[in-house]
């Protein structure tokens, strides 16, 4: 029985370490920006507030360390004479730490100097070019605030500038940021040894087992004996990595320390499997529920040609396509031979379109061009049972420019696409026509996260009559990506009980997106326009509405409720980004 009091005491007595878990304290900081944000983010005394098993003794130790730690942090932002006062008080049952900061005057960069030595001194053109660029960069830095990040970036970029061409073995011999506290001035001094001048040597390719070596060899424009260039290596690496046969690519050189200073090129690739099968299911308010299956073979006839096939089934559209993509030639153009089938049942028009063609395309960083020659024949049936069977042999040129800060989720920039094409009745076509069409989008950031998006399109098919022209070369409007508040492709020319394509189109859209919570925005928009037989009798309608935008990993996804003012109707629209 004597054990019972001891057991009870052990069960109900709070141990010392458990008491420590309840120890809490507050930190009161009096400081201007940027000191306020910097110290709250990096001082240990803030981080330890989230820790358990803390004591007054440990807190006192941290309080004693605050002045030196705070001054060190502020020095990285150019405040070298900051004064930090810290007091620790027990006020009732509350432990409080008071930190008062006078950050003083910020130090400015007043002078920069980069001195070169090594073989570059014997290369007058390259030396003068580097000297000019160092001077321009120095002028941009002078009278700017000193920060540790600015100093680190200055060293890194200066060395990379020398290494970019001819001197890949350049190294930093000495670096010093001289601080003059009394003048609030900082001076940057670098000494860089260029090392020897290198030229490119032969290349070797590693990692190939499935695909022919000529796939890569035909893309190498670097010649032996050419001056070393980091940009040339980077361009080649990007070129290889963009090929569908390779998942990753690494292009670099092997530098020798003894003459002759020749840099052999080493290319390492990781191949993707020969076969690729993919599938997806989804929903679009334009064409309803959809499913898609695609198959790709990456080495047709052992030539590195790519065979593509796809099948897409939607409630209002069904499509199939077969294509062979040939590798790029030395002029950077790639060629594609293809055939496709598209069935649509929209607005009383039942259309079956068969196409085959040859395309020639070239992609740059911003600009993409496609020249397309195709033959197409269409079987279309109208709501009243009448039919047409137009055919055409067309030549089309498509020019696209994308100047965006981010391809998936643009905040600033624009997209523009212009098309020109047509057919001659004398060449396997039922009509002579010329089609001109352009569309674009402009993104403008408002504040920290708001955004304005302006979109528009205008086009005309010049012909005596739309008779004999396949639907691909005429225009309909309405739906997501066009004039919201109206059904998909419901705006056009009324003919035989159906809505068919007209010879003119003009649409415009203004949208404002406002941040709500992380990755989500609310949107308000106004759309206006239509499609018709000619400009004088084209029916122009307006749609207004609100929506939500989600910034997903693969691009912006939007859902809208729109009101078609002219038809007095509401429509729901769901779409993913703007793609062309």
């Amino acid at each position: 029985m004597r054990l019972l009091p001891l057991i009870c005491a052990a069960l109900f007595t709070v141990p010392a370490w458990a008491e420590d878990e309840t120890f809490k304290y507050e930190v009161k900081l009096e400081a201007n920006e940027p000191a306020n944000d910097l110290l709250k983010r990096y001082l240990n005394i803030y981080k330890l507030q989230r820790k358990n098993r803390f004591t007054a003794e440990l807190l006192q130790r941290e309080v004693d360390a605050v002045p030196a730690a705070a001054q060190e942090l502020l020095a990285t932002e150019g405040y070298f004479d900051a004064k930090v006062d810290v007091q620790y008080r027990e006020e009732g049952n509350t432990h409080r730490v008071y930190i008062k900061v006078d950050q003083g005057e910020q130090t400015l960069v007043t002078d920069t100097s980069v001195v070169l030595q090594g073989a570059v001194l014997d290369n007058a053109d390259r030396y003068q070019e580097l000297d000019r660029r160092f001077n321009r960069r120095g002028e941009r830095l002078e009278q700017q605030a000193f920060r540790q990040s600015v100093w680190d970036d200055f060293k890194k970029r200066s060395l990379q500038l020398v290494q970019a061409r001819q001197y890949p073995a350049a190294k930093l011999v000495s670096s010093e940021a001289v601080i003059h506290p009394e003048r609030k001035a900082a001076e940057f001094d670098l000494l860089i040894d260029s090392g020897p001048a290198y030229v490119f040597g032969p290349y070797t390719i590693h990692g190939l087992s499935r695909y022919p070596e000529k796939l890569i060899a035909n893309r190498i424009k670097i010649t032996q004996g050419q001056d070393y260039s980091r940009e040339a290596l980077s361009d080649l690496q990007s070129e290889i990595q963009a090929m569908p046969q390779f998942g990753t690519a690494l292009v670099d050189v092997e530098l020798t320390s003894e003459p002759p200073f020749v840099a052999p090129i080493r290319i390492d690739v990781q191949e993707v499997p020969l076969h690729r099968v993919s599938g997806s299911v989804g929903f679009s308010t334009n064409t309803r529920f959809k499913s898609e299956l695609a198959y790709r073979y990456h080495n047709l006839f052992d030539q590195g040609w790519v065979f593509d096939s796809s099948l897409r089934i939607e409630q209002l559209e069904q499509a199939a396509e077969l294509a062979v993509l040939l590798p790029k030639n030395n002029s950077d153009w790639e060629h594609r031979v293809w055939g496709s089938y598209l069935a649509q049942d929209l607005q009383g028009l039942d259309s079956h379109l068969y196409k085959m063609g040859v395309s020639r395309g070239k992609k740059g960083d911003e600009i993409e061009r496609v020249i397309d020659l195709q033959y197409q024949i269409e079987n279309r049936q109208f709501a009243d049972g009448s039919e047409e069977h137009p055919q055409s042999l067309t030549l089309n040129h498509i020019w696209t420019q994308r100047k965006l800060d981010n391809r998936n989720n643009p905040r600033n920039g624009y997209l523009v696409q212009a098309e020109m094409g047509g057919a001659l009745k004398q060449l396997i076509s039922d009509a002579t026509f010329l089609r001109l069409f352009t569309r674009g989008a402009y993104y403008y950031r408002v504040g920290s996260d708001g955004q304005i998006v302006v979109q528009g399109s205008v086009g005309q098919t010049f012909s005596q009559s739309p008779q004999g022209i396949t639907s691909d070369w005429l225009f309909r409007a309405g739906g997501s990506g066009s004039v919201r508040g109206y059904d998909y492709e419901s705006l056009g020319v009324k003919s035989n009980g159906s809505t068919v394509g007209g010879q003119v189109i003009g649409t415009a859209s203004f949208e404002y997106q406002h941040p709500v919570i992380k990755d989500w925005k609310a949107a308000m928009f106004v759309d206006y326009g239509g499609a018709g037989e000619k400009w004088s009798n084209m029916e122009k309608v307006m749609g207004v509405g609100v929506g939500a935008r989600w910034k997903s990993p693969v691009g912006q996804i939007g859902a809208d409720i729109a009101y078609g003012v002219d038809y007095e109707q509401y429509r729901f629209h769901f779409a993913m980004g703007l793609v062309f």
Side-chain angles (χ1 to χ4, degrees), residues 341-537:
Y341 166 74
L342 175 65
Q344 292 182 313
D345 187 3
L346 297 169
Q347 306 303 320
L349 179 65
D350 185 10
S351 168
H352 297 262
L353 182 64
Y354 304 84
K355 297 193 289 186
M356 63 179 65
V358 179
S359 301
R360 190 170 190 252
K362 186 176 184 179
K363 292 182 180 179
D365 292 336
E366 293 182 1
I367 295 176
E368 178 180 348
R369 288 176 287 171
V370 176
I371 299 172
D372 187 65
L373 177 67
Q374 61 177 266
Y375 172 74
Q376 54 183 252
I377 184 169
E378 182 181 17
N379 299 324
R380 56 191 183 205
Q381 185 176 36
F382 301 95
D384 64 359
S386 60
E387 296 184 4
E388 289 182 353
H389 308 281
Q391 64 172 345
S392 59
L393 178 67
T394 59
L395 180 65
N396 196 35
H397 181 255
I398 304 173
W399 181 91
T400 306
Q401 183 177 26
R402 302 175 180 90
K403 195 173 182 65
L404 302 167
D405 57 350
N406 184 293
R407 288 287 182 95
N408 287 338
N409 290 288
R411 301 300 311 280
N412 280 299
Y414 62 86
L415 301 93
V416 178
Q417 186 176 81
E419 298 182 32
M420 181 175 68
L424 293 173
K425 189 172 183 179
Q426 295 85 347
L427 297 176
I428 328 176
S429 302
D430 291 344
T432 296
F433 61 88
L434 173 67
R435 179 181 183 268
L436 302 178
F437 177 68
T438 185
R439 57 178 171 168
Y442 177 71
Y443 299 85
Y444 180 73
R445 185 170 184 165
V446 179
S448 59
D449 278 317
Q451 187 172 32
I452 290 174
V453 182
V454 180
Q455 301 178 39
S457 68
V458 61
Q460 182 168 356
T461 300
F462 297 89
S463 179
Q464 292 181 348
S465 166
Q467 299 297 319
I469 303 177
T470 51
S471 297
D472 248 14
W473 295 85
L474 299 171
F475 304 104
R476 288 190 286 183
S480 179
S482 181
V483 183
R484 287 164 286 189
Y486 302 86
D487 292 329
Y488 179 52
E489 296 200 347
S490 63
L491 305 176
V493 177
K494 308 302 180 184
S495 175
N496 301 327
S498 305
T499 301
V500 301
Q503 290 181 246
V504 296
I505 188 173
T507 65
S509 173
F510 179 89
E511 177 172 304
Y512 173 68
Q513 300 174 6
H514 189 77
V516 180
I517 57 176
K518 182 181 179 181
D519 296 333
W520 284 89
K521 295 179 183 179
M524 299 184 296
F525 58 85
V526 178
D527 297 344
Y528 183 77
E533 180 184 1
K534 51 188 177 181
W535 295 112
S536 60
N537 62 9

Side-chain angles (χ1 to χ4, degrees), residues 26-322:
E26 297 177 3
V27 180
K28 303 292 185 180
L29 176 62
E30 182 181 339
N32 297 325
E33 296 295 348
N36 186 70
D37 180 67
L38 184 70
L39 299 183
K40 285 182 177 179
R41 185 179 301 180
Y42 294 110
L43 276 181
N44 274 341
I45 202 165
Y46 281 100
K47 298 177 182 178
L48 293 172
Q49 281 184 301
R50 298 186 292 271
K51 299 290 184 180
N52 292 327
R53 302 185 185 181
F54 209 64
T55 65
E57 291 77 12
L58 290 175
L59 177 58
Q60 184 63 58
R61 187 183 305 172
E62 289 301 322
V63 168
D64 294 339
V66 163
Q71 288 170 340
E72 186 175 341
L73 284 169
L74 291 169
T76 65
E77 292 294 305
Y79 299 96
F80 290 98
D81 58 353
K83 296 177 176 58
V84 182
D85 179 65
V86 185
Q87 295 184 15
Y88 169 30
R89 300 175 190 168
E90 293 185 32
E91 300 173 346
N93 294 326
T94 304
H95 299 262
R96 288 194 176 94
V97 178
Y98 294 87
I99 305 174
K100 184 176 181 180
V101 177
D102 178 5
Q103 59 195 31
E105 189 177 343
Q106 193 172 26
T107 296
L108 303 179
V109 179
T110 59
D111 187 43
T112 64
S113 171
V114 181
V115 177
L116 295 172
Q117 68 180 33
V120 70
L121 299 180
D122 299 324
N123 186 341
D125 291 340
R126 180 69 172 140
Y127 178 84
Q128 291 172 6
E129 178 195 358
L130 289 170
D131 189 56
R132 285 194 301 269
R133 297 186 68 173
F134 287 142
N135 288 335
R136 285 199 301 268
R137 181 167 293 170
E139 289 171 0
R140 289 196 296 267
L141 282 178
E142 288 175 11
Q143 300 309 311
Q144 289 191 19
F146 170 88
R147 292 183 175 86
Q148 184 64 40
S149 59
V150 172
W151 168 232
D152 291 340
D153 185 68
F154 178 73
K155 291 186 290 183
K156 177 183 175 182
R157 289 179 178 271
S158 298
L159 182 59
Q160 287 178 339
L161 190 58
V162 182
Q163 294 173 335
R165 283 184 32 230
Q166 295 182 275
Y167 305 99
K171 60 183 179 181
L172 197 60
V173 177
S174 66
S175 63
E176 186 177 16
V178 182
I179 307 299
H180 301 282
E182 71 285 355
R183 293 192 286 114
K184 303 296 185 291
E187 298 173 357
F188 293 168
D189 296 317
L190 300 181
L191 175 60
I192 297 176
D193 189 318
S194 69
Y198 284 83
V199 297
F200 285 122
Y203 66 83
T204 56
I205 303 173
H206 304 267
L208 287 176
S209 61
R210 300 186 181 101
Y211 304 112
E213 183 175 310
K214 67 179 182 180
L215 260 182
I216 296 175
N218 290 343
R219 301 307 307 147
I220 299 176
K221 300 175 183 178
I222 301 171
T223 58
Q224 290 192 48
Q226 176 183 331
D227 285 342
Y228 169 89
S229 166
R230 181 71 248 178
E231 184 180 9
L233 295 177
S234 179
D235 289 346
L236 177 58
Q237 180 171 302
S238 298
E239 189 89 41
I240 297 172
Q241 198 151 344
M243 294 180 181
Q245 291 87 353
F246 306 110
T248 59
L250 178 63
V251 179
D252 210 340
V253 292
E254 299 171 346
L255 301 180
T256 59
S257 57
E258 300 295 331
F261 296 108
V262 177
I265 302 171
R266 180 185 173 99
I267 303 171
D268 290 276
V269 296
Q270 183 179 28
E271 298 176 323
V272 301
L274 283 169
H275 307 271
R276 179 185 176 186
V277 179
S278 60
S280 65
V281 295
F283 176 80
S284 163
T285 49
N286 285 346
T287 52
R288 315 284 173 79
F289 290 99
K290 64 178 180 179
S291 59
E292 187 168 1
L293 180 66
Y295 168 72
R296 169 176 279 192
Y297 180 66
H298 291 107
N299 195 21
L300 191 64
F301 306 132
D302 200 30
Q303 297 296 311
W305 298 359
V306 177
F307 171 75
D308 260 330
S309 61
S310 64
L311 175 65
R312 188 180 80 250
I313 299 176
E314 304 177 70
Q315 283 183 267
L316 302 180
E317 282 187 358
Q318 299 81 45
E321 182 174 279
L322 300 176

